[in-house]
């Protein structure tokens, strides 16, 4: 049985961390690989869950980059004890420290992980230095570099100077048994929120952050409501609520807040997708937009800006928003969805689900990683 060690900066909830968790749990089912996970910082919620599921998880307690030399020595000692066949690292800090530690111990198979599509890190000079150093070391340390998106791979080759010969793309995968049409979930959440079963609901989910572009999404919906269209807007994500002044400012001088429902951070995301009819991704930038894939798997009408690999994922199974401006978001919603032909929209939603089943199932992505391990 091959020993696979994963090294990541932390195990708090995030896209990379959740993908790591799904990979480890589903790969363990095959009994060909023994996975263990090392967090450079603390255990985190996902670390706790992995432990509960019988996975060996270690946390090294890094507080800042000043403690990196000590953490490197701890990591070196731990890897020497585990004796892994493969070391897989997730994101820049882990690529650097994990890659160097594994290389120093003679580990032959080192797989780096790139999750970002943007290299503009001028506001974070220490991170920029690590990215630059990783680019130079990419020619000597990793045997492969797994990128979450084609845009991430292209950016790191063309702008970052990474070794192109080692790059490949393995996107995130989705549990199509979890994210699927579920009428019970739909009706239960709608009933809880006092939404009628036949009301049109447009949804958006994601933590509050300027790159998620909540402002233009809300402005687009307000514009359409003022035009006389009737629908509800369901928003979810950390700090996405009326306690956030950046959101509440849009409802101070009107009575439109009754059309908007805010869930904040939600645990049951599958219920959220089932409760809506239309999913709208309006981000300025993404790595691999998980929320778009989840909405597609749940067979929703999807619209998306050209963020990360959104265009590649969506293909012709939804509508592409030409820019991140609220007028383009509103225009696409109005002409493609609100005035769209019902049977055509239903067919497109079915095609979205089928596309995920063909190209982005969790089983397929686990298999892609297992091929790398071999």
């Amino acid at each position: 049985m091959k020993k696979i060690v994963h090294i990541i900066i932390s195990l708090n909830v995030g896209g990379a961390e959740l993908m790591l968790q799904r990979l480890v749990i589903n790969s363990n089912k095959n009994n060909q690989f023994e996975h263990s996970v090392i967090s450079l910082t603390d255990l985190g919620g996902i670390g706790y869950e992995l432990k509960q599921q019988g996975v060996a998880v270690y946390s090294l307690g890094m507080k800042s980059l000043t403690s990196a030399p000590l953490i490197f020595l701890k990591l070196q000692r731990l890897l020497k004890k585990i004796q892994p066949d493969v070391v897989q690292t997730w994101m820049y800090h882990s690529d650097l420290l994990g890659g160097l530690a594994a290389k120093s111990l003679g580990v032959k198979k080192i797989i780096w992980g790139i999750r970002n599509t943007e290299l503009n890190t001028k506001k974070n000079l220490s991170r920029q230095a690590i990215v630059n150093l990783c680019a130079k070391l990419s020619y000597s340390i990793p045997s492969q570099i797994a990128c979450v998106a084609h845009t991430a791979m292209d950016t790191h080759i063309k702008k970052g100077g990474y070794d192109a010969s080692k790059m490949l793309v393995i996107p995130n995968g989705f549990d199509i048994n979890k994210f699927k049409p579920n009428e019970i979930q739909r009706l239960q959440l709608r009933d809880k929120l006092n939404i009628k079963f036949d009301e049109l609901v447009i949804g958006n989910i994601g933590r509050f952050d300027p790159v998620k572009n909540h402002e233009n999404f809300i402005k687009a919906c307000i514009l359409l409501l003022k035009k006389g269209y009737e629908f509800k807007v369901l928003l979810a994500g950390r700090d996405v609520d009326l306690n956030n002044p950046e959101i509440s400012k849009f409802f101070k001088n009107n009575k439109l807040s009754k059309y908007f429902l805010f869930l904040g951070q939600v645990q049951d995301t599958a219920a959220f997708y089932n409760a809506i009819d239309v999913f709208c991704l309006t981000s300025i930038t993404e790595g691999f937009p998980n929320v778009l894939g989840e909405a597609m798997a749940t067979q929703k009408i999807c619209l998306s800006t050209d963020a990360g690999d959104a265009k590649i994922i969506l293909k012709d199974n939804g509508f592409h928003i030409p820019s991140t401006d609220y007028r383009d978001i509103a225009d696409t919603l109005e002409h493609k969805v609100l005035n769209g032909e019902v049977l055509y929209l239903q067919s497109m939603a079915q095609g979205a689900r089928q596309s995920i089943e063909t190209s982005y199932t969790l089983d397929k992505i686990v298999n892609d990683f297992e091929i790398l391990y071999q």
Side-chain angles (χ1 to χ4, degrees):
M1 187 180 289
K2 283 199 170 186
K3 291 182 179 179
I4 318 296
V5 171
H6 301 266
I7 303 172
I8 193 164
I9 188 72
S10 80
L11 285 168
N12 293 309
V13 176
E17 294 81 1
L18 287 168
M19 188 61 229
L20 186 158
Q21 181 185 33
R22 292 166 189 154
L23 170 60
V24 167
I25 296 303
N26 285 274
S27 179
N28 264 348
K29 292 176 182 176
N30 299 328
N31 295 319
Q32 294 179 353
F33 307 99
E34 181 185 335
H35 293 268
S36 53
V37 180
I38 301 172
S39 168
L40 296 179
T41 55
D42 54 10
L43 190 64
I46 288 176
Y48 176 77
E49 289 177 8
L50 284 169
K51 275 195 164 186
Q52 294 290 102
Q53 292 166 303
V55 179
V57 183
Y58 309 88
S59 55
L60 301 185
M62 186 168 77
K63 301 297 182 186
S64 67
L65 280 177
T66 56
S67 62
L70 176 61
I71 297 302
F72 176 80
L73 293 174
K74 281 186 178 181
L75 183 57
Q76 217 175 24
R77 284 196 295 269
L78 184 53
L79 289 176
K80 193 172 183 179
K81 180 182 175 183
I82 298 171
Q83 293 288 304
D85 298 292
V86 180
V87 169
Q88 181 173 353
T89 60
W90 298 69
M91 300 179 287
Y92 303 127
H93 293 77
S94 307
D95 291 346
L96 178 61
L97 291 176
L100 286 170
K103 194 75 171 179
S104 72
L105 296 171
V107 178
K108 296 285 192 293
K109 193 80 169 176
I110 301 169
I111 304 167
W112 274 7
I114 289 177
R115 313 289 300 184
N116 284 51
T117 56
E118 297 292 321
L119 281 174
N120 184 10
T121 57
K122 291 177 182 177
K123 292 180 181 177
N124 190 332
L125 295 178
S126 63
R127 182 169 173 270
Q128 183 65 60
I130 289 171
V131 173
N132 294 341
L133 186 53
C134 282
K136 291 181 174 67
L137 293 174
S138 67
Y139 292 84
S140 58
I141 289 184
S143 44
Q144 277 102 17
I145 304 171
C147 302
V148 74
H150 291 84
T151 48
M153 181 175 73
D154 293 344
T155 300
H156 283 77
I157 292 171
K158 294 172 184 175
K159 296 181 181 178
Y162 273 68
D163 185 348
S165 68
K166 295 176 182 176
M167 295 283 210
L168 71 154
V169 175
I170 301 181
N172 288 339
F174 304 98
D175 184 347
I176 56 173
N177 295 313
K178 176 183 177 182
F179 297 103
K180 64 180 180 181
N182 185 318
E183 192 66 17
I184 293 173
Q185 284 185 337
R186 177 182 176 84
L187 294 175
Q188 282 179 341
L189 186 52
R190 283 192 168 223
D191 186 56
K192 183 180 177 181
L193 298 172
N194 200 27
I195 300 172
K196 294 175 185 176
F197 76 95
D198 59 347
E199 277 188 282
L200 178 69
V201 179
I202 300 171
N204 178 288
I205 185 170
R207 74 186 188 281
F208 186 80
D209 187 295
V211 301
K212 299 299 183 183
N213 202 25
H214 289 94
E215 179 171 334
N216 277 297
F217 172 67
I218 292 170
K219 284 169 71 174
C221 292
I222 287 173
L223 178 62
L224 293 168
L225 287 165
K226 285 182 174 178
K227 277 189 170 188
Y229 291 102
E230 292 186 6
F231 55 88
K232 290 282 178 66
V233 185
L234 187 60
L235 295 103
R238 188 172 69 245
D239 298 324
V240 181
D241 53 49
L242 289 173
N243 293 321
N244 185 334
E246 293 299 313
I247 290 175
S248 63
K249 68 182 181 183
F250 292 108
F251 306 107
K252 284 181 178 174
N253 298 314
N254 58 54
K255 296 181 180 179
L256 294 173
S257 61
K258 65 182 179 181
Y259 296 103
F260 289 78
L261 298 162
F262 297 92
L263 296 178
Q265 190 163 340
V266 293
Q267 295 297 320
D268 190 357
T269 51
F272 166 85
Y273 294 116
N274 271 294
I276 66 174
D277 301 293
V278 180
F279 177 75
C280 202
L281 179 74
T282 56
S283 297
I284 296 166
T285 182
E286 290 275 352
F288 184 93
N290 288 330
V291 292
L292 177 60
E294 290 167 354
M296 289 173 67
T298 318
Q299 204 165 299
K300 296 301 156 182
I301 301 160
C302 294
L303 301 86
S304 178
T305 51
D306 186 16
D309 268 13
K311 189 176 284 188
I312 296 170
I313 300 163
L314 192 57
K315 298 178 184 173
D316 296 323
N317 301 300
F319 303 105
H320 299 276
I321 304 168
S323 84
T324 57
D325 184 79
Y326 76 95
R327 285 159 291 208
D328 279 332
I329 297 167
D331 188 66
T332 308
L333 276 167
E334 181 175 18
H335 293 102
K336 301 295 186 181
V337 177
L338 298 176
N339 290 311
E341 200 274 316
V342 174
L343 290 177
Y344 174 68
L345 293 173
Q346 288 175 345
S347 173
M348 186 160 282
Q350 290 166 358
R353 164 96 181 157
Q354 289 166 6
S355 180
I356 298 299
E357 289 176 335
T358 301
S359 303
Y360 297 102
T361 63
L362 190 54
D363 287 345
K364 180 184 184 303
I365 274 62
V366 169
N367 184 63
D368 288 347
F369 274 113
E370 290 182 343
I371 289 170
L372 280 191
Y373 303 153
Q374 299 285 16

